[in-house]
Amino acid sequence: MAQQQQISLPAKLINGGIAGIVGVTCVFPIDLAKTRLQNQRSGQQLYRNMMDCLIKTVKSEGYFGMYRGAAVNLTLVTPEKAIKLAANDFFRHQLSKDGGRLTVAKEMLAGCCAGMCQVVVTTPMEMLKIQMQDAGRLVAQQRVMPSMVTTMKMGGTSAVLSRSYNTAHAPQPMRVSATEITKELLRTKGVTGLYKGLGATLMRDIPFSVVYFPLFAHLHQLGRHSPQDPSVPFYWSFMSGCLAGCVAAVAVSPCDVVKTRLQSLKKGANEETYNGVADCVRKILRKEGPRAFLKGASCRALVIAPLFGIAQVVYFVGVGEMLLGYTPYSIYSA
């Protein structure tokens, strides 16, 4: 069993990578809408809902405007999803070494550990992606309210991070690349600049994994043909991943709003800056009310559901195992 787990790990990494790339490509426009909806404040709303945001984005930025920041995700989603799925399997395997069936508490612990592992990649990925995704909203805000002056509130102004936000008669969406933003953050803030919002990311991803993985495991198990035949149809894996992902995404949506606000380096006129998670929660409650914590919740559910549904299909079909010539192995069928 130990040898089987060892040789299957590369396959699991491949599965996570393929699933992440396919999923992100399919749902990224919805994720962009989520970020923009979460960042707009009461009284400065440019978008009424997800569809309104996507339509306005296409009109002002073109079709590919919906994929601003996608390159960052496509580059880093492979290690991110691979770490998340493989780490969960690894910890489940370690916790079931006594041969007994995993309790719900152990399943939640495995998910918690997986969530902690993934933030190594998730935090800088989300940090860069949010800057790219939110650029169009800030420019649109300037167009709608030309008297506004978009301001930098990250301590020090750099040519790379501010040149696209200078007030002009016809502001254009930011064209600076994620590589330039990374270099500038490393130069001005060091490695910690890429990990701004780490606490909020942990606050979101750990509960998400604690909810998602045990729920998925139990839903997936319901699709087994019989105790003697533990195989599950691919469509059941997909539906289980979608449902578990949707529930977990909505459950942690308030944490995602806080994370998005903290990681947005650019602020529009009159938009608050935040000094940590507690300060962010307090200011959102005071100025926007409890409902603000559910901004973009439906978009996030629409992003996460198919993303994890696709991930679990790829994972359980065993694409990576087939590519490497191994026999598909899953800790869930152990």
Side-chain angles (χ1 to χ4, degrees), residues 34-325:
K34 175 198 74 77
T35 297
R36 294 188 178 184
L37 288 170
Q38 286 180 339
N39 263 332
Q40 67 179 4
R41 273 53 163 183
S42 300
Q44 299 178 4
Q45 293 185 339
L46 299 171
Y47 314 112
R48 294 189 302 274
N49 49 47
M50 180 187 72
M51 287 306 301
D52 183 54
C53 179
L54 293 177
I55 291 170
K56 288 178 178 176
T57 298
V58 172
K59 285 182 178 179
S60 61
E61 302 171 52
Y63 173 77
F64 290 105
M66 294 190 298
Y67 283 88
R68 295 178 60 80
V72 176
N73 253 35
L74 291 173
T75 301
L76 297 179
V77 74
T78 297
E80 191 256 356
K81 282 291 176 288
I83 289 172
K84 188 184 189 81
L85 295 174
N88 181 68
D89 264 9
F90 172 78
F91 288 114
R92 288 179 68 95
H93 178 67
Q94 295 301 313
L95 291 170
S96 63
K97 275 188 171 180
D98 58 2
R101 187 187 179 105
L102 281 175
T103 63
V104 173
K106 286 186 175 181
E107 289 179 333
M108 293 174 72
L109 178 59
C112 174
C113 294
M116 292 179 66
C117 290
Q118 78 170 90
V119 297
V120 174
V121 176
T122 303
T123 305
M125 178 181 76
E126 294 271 317
M127 179 76 177
L128 296 172
K129 180 195 72 172
I130 285 171
Q131 314 318 313
M132 307 296 286
Q133 287 181 327
D134 203 39
R137 181 189 69 89
L138 294 173
V139 172
Q141 187 185 71
Q142 287 179 263
R143 287 172 176 159
V144 173
M145 291 165 275
S147 61
M148 286 188 174
V149 178
T150 306
T151 57
M152 276 282 294
K153 299 182 181 179
M154 58 172 288
T157 303
S158 69
V160 170
L161 289 175
S162 65
R163 69 186 184 198
S164 301
Y165 288 91
N166 295 332
T167 305
H169 294 296
Q172 296 298 318
M174 184 174 72
R175 299 300 177 188
V176 71
S177 69
T179 302
E180 291 177 293
I181 296 176
T182 301
K183 289 179 179 178
E184 187 60 30
L185 283 171
L186 289 174
R187 185 183 69 81
T188 59
K189 304 287 185 180
V191 177
T192 56
L194 291 173
Y195 282 86
K196 182 179 174 65
L198 174 61
T201 306
L202 284 167
M203 189 175 71
R204 180 197 68 174
D205 288 349
I206 290 178
F208 178 92
S209 296
V210 167
V211 173
Y212 172 78
F213 284 112
L215 180 57
F216 171 78
H218 286 271
L219 289 172
H220 192 260
Q221 191 175 37
L222 294 175
R224 291 182 174 181
H225 294 296
S226 66
Q228 293 74 32
D229 181 11
S231 62
V232 175
F234 78 92
Y235 63 83
W236 192 270
S237 291
F238 177 77
M239 290 190 298
S240 299
C242 285
L243 182 57
C246 183
V247 171
V250 173
V252 302
S253 185
C255 301
D256 190 56
V257 172
V258 173
K259 183 197 73 68
T260 299
R261 295 284 183 91
L262 287 173
Q263 289 187 320
S264 298
L265 299 179
K266 312 289 185 185
K267 305 293 182 184
N270 303 319
E271 290 184 354
E272 291 277 2
T273 55
Y274 308 106
N275 298 315
V277 172
D279 182 58
C280 182
V281 171
R282 186 171 57 253
K283 287 179 177 177
I284 291 175
L285 275 174
R286 187 176 72 245
K287 295 201 169 185
E288 303 174 60
R291 292 185 63 183
F293 290 106
L294 293 178
K295 285 184 176 180
S298 58
C299 291
R300 180 162 168 76
L302 288 173
V303 168
I304 295 299
L307 185 62
F308 277 86
I310 292 169
Q312 295 298 351
V313 168
V314 173
Y315 209 57
F316 280 91
V317 166
V319 175
E321 286 84 353
M322 287 188 283
L323 290 174
L324 295 177

Side-chain angles (χ1 to χ4, degrees), residues 12-26:
K12 292 179 185 300
L13 297 178
I14 292 174
N15 286 336
I18 293 173
I21 290 172
V22 173
V24 166
T25 302
C26 293

